[in-house]
Amino acid sequence: MLKFQIRRNIRQRNIEIVNNNLGVFYLDYVRDIAQHMMKKYKTNDPFELAEYLNIKIMYEDLGKHINGFYQSCPKVKIIHINNKLGSEARRIVCAHELGHAVLHSKVNIIFVQKHTFCDKGKFERQAIIFAAELLIPNGLLLEHPDYSIDQIAALHNISLELLKHKYNI
């Protein structure tokens, strides 16, 4: 119900859309979902949000090249996080995978990659935008009008990539 209410509100405003070949996904829709969750659960902590949504977090050795992934089984939803990551990287990975859980819970990405021409990168971008919206306060750039985006990222110990996605830079 939530997704349809937000989608209806967004259609009333003429905003940028991204076609992901599985339907139209709105960039502001992704941001609105993250904002709604923060307001509803009164937190932007991805670990707390996962708990509210009954998504289990598992820490395991995923090797050098995988930071995390989301898995949906019939009765269990799991976010797997590489146990070799530091606390801030774990937080970012959890927020990103939570984005997949909320936005793409019904998408079988392996099927999409093997049997369609849909680009997996579109799903990744949506999850990154979700994570950025969740982890970075809205007025951050306005607080530092004379600083570059690199300086703001360093000052607040925020990933530069996330900051760029948050503000569409």
Side-chain angles (χ1 to χ4, degrees):
M1 184 67 177
L2 164 69
K3 289 182 180 181
F4 296 111
Q5 288 174 333
I6 292 174
R7 190 177 294 161
R8 188 174 351 105
N9 292 342
I10 291 171
R11 281 186 182 144
Q12 292 169 356
R13 303 184 317 233
N14 291 324
I15 61 170
E16 179 181 1
I17 61 171
V18 175
N19 183 344
N20 68 8
N21 296 331
L22 294 174
V24 176
F25 236 93
Y26 298 87
L27 295 180
D28 281 355
Y29 170 73
V30 172
R31 291 182 171 97
D32 286 349
I33 290 288
Q35 289 294 325
H36 175 79
M37 287 181 63
M38 288 187 289
K39 185 176 180 181
K40 179 178 181 179
Y41 297 109
K42 296 177 178 43
T43 184
N44 73 331
D45 184 314
F47 297 102
E48 289 180 30
L49 290 170
E51 188 175 328
Y52 284 126
L53 297 172
N54 294 317
I55 300 171
K56 298 191 182 309
I57 307 287
M58 292 183 64
Y59 300 96
E60 51 201 318
D61 186 352
L62 299 176
K64 294 180 180 178
H65 303 292
I66 299 174
N67 291 331
F69 64 94
Y70 170 69
Q71 176 184 19
S72 179
C73 300
K75 294 188 180 193
V76 180
K77 296 177 181 179
I78 305 168
I79 292 175
H80 299 265
I81 299 176
N82 194 326
N83 62 9
K84 306 258 191 261
L85 300 175
S87 61
E88 186 58 25
R90 286 181 183 192
R91 188 168 173 256
I92 292 169
V93 169
C94 186
H96 176 92
E97 299 307 331
L98 187 62
H100 286 301
V102 171
L103 301 168
H104 313 130
S105 63
K106 305 269 190 244
V107 175
N108 180 338
I109 197 66
I110 294 170
F111 176 85
V112 169
Q113 283 179 297
K114 288 186 177 187
H115 301 289
T116 72
F117 295 108
C118 184
D119 180 14
K120 175 184 149 186
K122 293 175 184 179
F123 295 108
E124 291 302 315
R125 183 163 188 255
Q126 292 164 1
I128 290 168
I129 290 169
F130 181 90
E133 194 64 33
L134 202 62
L135 299 175
I136 300 171
N138 282 335
L140 194 60
L141 290 184
L142 297 175
E143 292 176 19
H144 308 285
D146 298 330
Y147 285 49
S148 72
I149 192 158
D150 294 17
Q151 291 171 320
I152 294 171
L155 181 66
H156 290 277
N157 195 27
I158 295 173
S159 157
L160 181 60
E161 178 188 3
L162 273 185
L163 196 57
K164 287 180 177 181
H165 278 90
K166 168 76 175 187
Y167 293 105
N168 226 6
I169 298 172

